[in-house]
Amino acid sequence: MYGPRNAGDMALNYGALDLLKTIGDFDVTGLSRFSEDHESFVRSKETLEAAYPDFHLLPFPMRYDRHRDGLARQLVSHAKGMGMYLSSSLGFISRRVQPLDRRIRECDHFFFNGGNALFSRGFRDLARLIGIAYPLHRAHACHRPIAFLPQSIPAASGLGRWYIRRHLESARFVSFRESASLKQIDLRRQDAVCTLDLAFFMEGRNEDAAREVVSRYHLEPLRFVPIVPRATTLGDQAYLDPPEYDRTVDFVVHLCESVVQAGHSPLLVVQVETDLRVARDCQRALASKGHAVCVVEEYDPLTLRALYALSRAVFTMRLHAAIFALSVGTVVLGFSRSIWGRKMPGVFECVGIPNLCFQLSPAQSGDPDTTIQAALQGQMDHERDRFLRVIQGEKDRLRTQLQCLLK
């Protein structure tokens, strides 16, 4: 299970649990990506166990936080992860791992949560991968039925590619968020499923919190447009280099000015901590042109889902902002970069609206300005029934497949 500093990550947690809840009455144990002493584990445990009384969250047996830990600490975590893997392969399970190992041996099914944790581009990535996939390794060794909820594999090479493919080949059920991941890993099995991101299965909305945001910033429902910027590399491991970063700021400023010219209010939304810097830079650039645009930090996917339901449209560089909006019937324009992989274009293709996703680099694709104006004037609203119908059909299909798996 993922942490609370990224609304998309929390949405994957909610989506997985809501999906299982609609299939049957299960006693679910989750494994956090964070260790017991990490704030993200504590906050996730409190939030998820309060929302799902039959759910229990366990801490990960080692610490790993690529955003806040320095290189030395990360290397120590990598070494511990490799050590866990090697020692368990030799039949030795350390005391700190025994509670997790016992829970894996006792489970009826093992689910690997959806997302893009499965990637490997070099030795450091391989060490990270082996560490975080330790529970998967143990489930395989204990002959537990394994199911992969919808994955993206943005990069895989060498031993990392072999390691990922080995687990996918031996699993009972495998699903992806886009067909490009299937090609990336060159999976031989023919029954792998391409389907929706788990965030589409999230059921709730925090409508009171969303209305409070609208009131605080003096917004009118259906007269404001959330704009979700991003200026980081894959996995948010670093910011884009200065020329690309500056082009991102310029493009977001252009989006905001387009919204103003159409008579609506732009709202810069930060739903991942690392995006706050670029949002503030966009805000300053807009202020220098005489536009006062607010920045809202919100990491609760239930609040964001309700907020986007009140919006005229959503313009986003973040995948899960698009998913939150699409799931409540709000028209979305997505803006992606090749370095972020195919997950954004893949989702737009999956729900039948590839024409609403634009590539920003290496070269801008399509004519976003015409589509931006059409979305702001309500001329894209006819797309709503089509994508909602596709989304419901895909949700029903995955539920049916998992019901067959869990019989």
Side-chain angles (χ1 to χ4, degrees), residues 289-304:
K289 295 187 169 193
H291 302 298
V293 177
C294 297
V295 173
V296 174
E297 275 189 272
E298 183 55 67
Y299 306 110
D300 175 21
L302 302 180
T303 299
L304 289 166

mmCIF file of all heavy atoms in Angstrom, residues 289-304:
data_model
loop_
_atom_site.group_PDB
_atom_site.id
_atom_site.type_symbol
_atom_site.label_atom_id
_atom_site.label_comp_id
_atom_site.label_asym_id
_atom_site.label_seq_id
_atom_site.Cartn_x
_atom_site.Cartn_y
_atom_site.Cartn_z
ATOM 1 N N LYS A 289 2.080 39.137 -14.503
ATOM 2 C CA LYS A 289 1.248 39.545 -15.638
ATOM 3 C C LYS A 289 -0.099 40.100 -15.191
ATOM 4 O O LYS A 289 -0.994 40.319 -16.012
ATOM 5 C CB LYS A 289 1.018 38.360 -16.572
ATOM 6 C CG LYS A 289 2.296 37.847 -17.233
ATOM 7 C CD LYS A 289 1.956 36.783 -18.277
ATOM 8 C CE LYS A 289 3.183 36.455 -19.117
ATOM 9 N NZ LYS A 289 2.836 35.666 -20.315
ATOM 10 N N GLY A 290 -0.255 40.280 -13.873
ATOM 11 C CA GLY A 290 -1.480 40.870 -13.350
ATOM 12 C C GLY A 290 -2.590 39.889 -13.040
ATOM 13 O O GLY A 290 -3.739 40.302 -12.811
ATOM 14 N N HIS A 291 -2.281 38.580 -12.987
ATOM 15 C CA HIS A 291 -3.294 37.567 -12.689
ATOM 16 C C HIS A 291 -3.061 36.992 -11.288
ATOM 17 O O HIS A 291 -1.988 36.445 -11.007
ATOM 18 C CB HIS A 291 -3.255 36.424 -13.698
ATOM 19 C CG HIS A 291 -3.450 36.859 -15.119
ATOM 20 N ND1 HIS A 291 -4.614 37.468 -15.568
ATOM 21 C CD2 HIS A 291 -2.628 36.774 -16.209
ATOM 22 C CE1 HIS A 291 -4.505 37.738 -16.849
ATOM 23 N NE2 HIS A 291 -3.309 37.324 -17.266
ATOM 24 N N ALA A 292 -4.038 37.108 -10.426
ATOM 25 C CA ALA A 292 -3.956 36.526 -9.083
ATOM 26 C C ALA A 292 -4.607 35.146 -9.120
ATOM 27 O O ALA A 292 -5.842 35.039 -9.198
ATOM 28 C CB ALA A 292 -4.640 37.417 -8.072
ATOM 29 N N VAL A 293 -3.800 34.112 -9.091
ATOM 30 C CA VAL A 293 -4.306 32.740 -9.172
ATOM 31 C C VAL A 293 -3.921 32.007 -7.894
ATOM 32 O O VAL A 293 -2.767 32.050 -7.466
ATOM 33 C CB VAL A 293 -3.735 32.006 -10.404
ATOM 34 C CG1 VAL A 293 -4.214 30.553 -10.435
ATOM 35 C CG2 VAL A 293 -4.160 32.719 -11.685
ATOM 36 N N CYS A 294 -4.882 31.330 -7.293
ATOM 37 C CA CYS A 294 -4.645 30.635 -6.022
ATOM 38 C C CYS A 294 -4.007 29.267 -6.254
ATOM 39 O O CYS A 294 -4.228 28.626 -7.288
ATOM 40 C CB CYS A 294 -5.960 30.453 -5.272
ATOM 41 S SG CYS A 294 -6.747 32.006 -4.802
ATOM 42 N N VAL A 295 -3.216 28.829 -5.259
ATOM 43 C CA VAL A 295 -2.640 27.486 -5.237
ATOM 44 C C VAL A 295 -3.293 26.712 -4.099
ATOM 45 O O VAL A 295 -3.301 27.164 -2.956
ATOM 46 C CB VAL A 295 -1.115 27.526 -5.033
ATOM 47 C CG1 VAL A 295 -0.562 26.114 -4.842
ATOM 48 C CG2 VAL A 295 -0.435 28.199 -6.217
ATOM 49 N N VAL A 296 -3.851 25.563 -4.419
ATOM 50 C CA VAL A 296 -4.489 24.708 -3.422
ATOM 51 C C VAL A 296 -3.678 23.429 -3.281
ATOM 52 O O VAL A 296 -3.424 22.735 -4.266
ATOM 53 C CB VAL A 296 -5.936 24.353 -3.839
ATOM 54 C CG1 VAL A 296 -6.540 23.347 -2.876
ATOM 55 C CG2 VAL A 296 -6.793 25.603 -3.895
ATOM 56 N N GLU A 297 -3.244 23.128 -2.062
ATOM 57 C CA GLU A 297 -2.597 21.849 -1.763
ATOM 58 C C GLU A 297 -3.652 20.897 -1.220
ATOM 59 O O GLU A 297 -4.286 21.204 -0.197
ATOM 60 C CB GLU A 297 -1.513 22.021 -0.707
ATOM 61 C CG GLU A 297 -0.167 22.452 -1.205
ATOM 62 C CD GLU A 297 0.862 22.379 -0.085
ATOM 63 O OE1 GLU A 297 1.001 23.371 0.635
ATOM 64 O OE2 GLU A 297 1.503 21.321 0.065
ATOM 65 N N GLU A 298 -3.852 19.782 -1.881
ATOM 66 C CA GLU A 298 -4.846 18.807 -1.408
ATOM 67 C C GLU A 298 -4.396 17.405 -1.792
ATOM 68 O O GLU A 298 -4.232 17.097 -2.959
ATOM 69 C CB GLU A 298 -6.216 19.106 -2.015
ATOM 70 C CG GLU A 298 -7.319 18.194 -1.538
ATOM 71 C CD GLU A 298 -7.432 18.178 -0.010
ATOM 72 O OE1 GLU A 298 -7.811 19.214 0.569
ATOM 73 O OE2 GLU A 298 -7.125 17.116 0.576
ATOM 74 N N TYR A 299 -4.192 16.561 -0.776
ATOM 75 C CA TYR A 299 -3.678 15.224 -1.018
ATOM 76 C C TYR A 299 -4.712 14.132 -0.751
ATOM 77 O O TYR A 299 -4.406 12.943 -0.839
ATOM 78 C CB TYR A 299 -2.423 14.982 -0.174
ATOM 79 C CG TYR A 299 -1.376 16.052 -0.392
ATOM 80 C CD1 TYR A 299 -1.071 16.976 0.599
ATOM 81 C CD2 TYR A 299 -0.730 16.163 -1.620
ATOM 82 C CE1 TYR A 299 -0.130 17.977 0.379
ATOM 83 C CE2 TYR A 299 0.211 17.158 -1.845
ATOM 84 C CZ TYR A 299 0.514 18.058 -0.841
ATOM 85 O OH TYR A 299 1.443 19.048 -1.064
ATOM 86 N N ASP A 300 -5.930 14.549 -0.419
ATOM 87 C CA ASP A 300 -7.000 13.581 -0.173
ATOM 88 C C ASP A 300 -7.745 13.318 -1.477
ATOM 89 O O ASP A 300 -8.418 14.212 -2.005
ATOM 90 C CB ASP A 300 -7.969 14.120 0.879
ATOM 91 C CG ASP A 300 -9.166 13.198 1.078
ATOM 92 O OD1 ASP A 300 -9.065 12.005 0.721
ATOM 93 O OD2 ASP A 300 -10.201 13.674 1.583
ATOM 94 N N PRO A 301 -7.660 12.106 -2.032
ATOM 95 C CA PRO A 301 -8.321 11.847 -3.318
ATOM 96 C C PRO A 301 -9.837 11.982 -3.254
ATOM 97 O O PRO A 301 -10.477 12.320 -4.248
ATOM 98 C CB PRO A 301 -7.899 10.408 -3.654
ATOM 99 C CG PRO A 301 -7.463 9.810 -2.367
ATOM 100 C CD PRO A 301 -6.913 10.927 -1.542
ATOM 101 N N LEU A 302 -10.425 11.746 -2.099
ATOM 102 C CA LEU A 302 -11.882 11.875 -1.968
ATOM 103 C C LEU A 302 -12.313 13.333 -2.087
ATOM 104 O O LEU A 302 -13.356 13.643 -2.670
ATOM 105 C CB LEU A 302 -12.347 11.288 -0.642
ATOM 106 C CG LEU A 302 -11.991 9.806 -0.405
ATOM 107 C CD1 LEU A 302 -12.513 9.355 0.951
ATOM 108 C CD2 LEU A 302 -12.564 8.931 -1.499
ATOM 109 N N THR A 303 -11.497 14.245 -1.542
ATOM 110 C CA THR A 303 -11.789 15.673 -1.675
ATOM 111 C C THR A 303 -11.567 16.133 -3.107
ATOM 112 O O THR A 303 -12.376 16.881 -3.673
ATOM 113 C CB THR A 303 -10.897 16.490 -0.713
ATOM 114 O OG1 THR A 303 -11.168 16.084 0.638
ATOM 115 C CG2 THR A 303 -11.151 17.983 -0.851
ATOM 116 N N LEU A 304 -10.480 15.693 -3.719
ATOM 117 C CA LEU A 304 -10.189 16.086 -5.107
ATOM 118 C C LEU A 304 -11.267 15.583 -6.055
ATOM 119 O O LEU A 304 -11.690 16.298 -6.966
ATOM 120 C CB LEU A 304 -8.818 15.545 -5.517
ATOM 121 C CG LEU A 304 -7.625 16.233 -4.854
ATOM 122 C CD1 LEU A 304 -6.357 15.416 -5.055
ATOM 123 C CD2 LEU A 304 -7.444 17.648 -5.388
#
